[in-house]
Amino acid sequence: MLGSGEYYALEIAGDSMIEAGILDGDKALIKRTDSANNGDIIVALIDNVEVTLKKLRRRGNSIALEPANKLYETRIFGPDRVAVQGVLTGIIRYY
């Protein structure tokens, strides 16, 4: 199910990614990496304090973290404020 590399799982808390099919209580499978491409859904560490799962968009020297829920706004940061900690590779949901 998983390719080569190091993986970990996170439990999703909140509804900021519901339009991407990522729901509160889901388990996100994350491939550990410190780099990502535009459009990837990433685990981002903001200011060494906050961790969030959002879509990555680079805009010049800025990094935009985009939610998949129209009720939330895109947050834009300088490149020194955001560290990529992994890329989403799958979701596990229990019914």
Side-chain angles (χ1 to χ4, degrees):
M1 184 171 152
L2 301 174
S4 63
E6 199 175 326
Y7 291 81
Y8 60 96
L10 294 175
E11 184 172 346
I12 301 300
D15 62 356
S16 69
M17 296 299 289
I18 60 173
E19 292 168 13
I22 303 169
L23 308 179
D24 187 58
D26 285 351
K27 307 297 186 270
L29 299 177
I30 308 297
K31 182 173 186 178
R32 189 179 306 274
T33 182
D34 60 2
S35 63
N37 298 314
N38 273 338
D40 285 347
I41 296 176
I42 65 164
V43 175
L45 176 64
I46 303 168
D47 296 329
N48 289 317
V49 176
E50 177 186 356
V51 176
T52 189
L53 187 76
K54 297 289 183 284
K55 185 179 285 189
L56 172 69
R57 293 278 182 221
R58 288 190 175 89
R59 297 178 180 168
N61 287 334
S62 297
I63 294 175
L65 299 178
E66 298 177 347
N69 182 333
K70 62 185 174 220
L71 300 177
Y72 294 86
E73 294 184 5
T74 296
R75 296 169 65 191
I76 299 174
F77 301 93
D80 58 330
R81 295 186 58 200
V82 176
V84 174
Q85 294 194 320
V87 175
L88 178 72
T89 60
I91 292 291
I92 297 172
R93 180 172 301 137
Y94 296 101
Y95 297 95

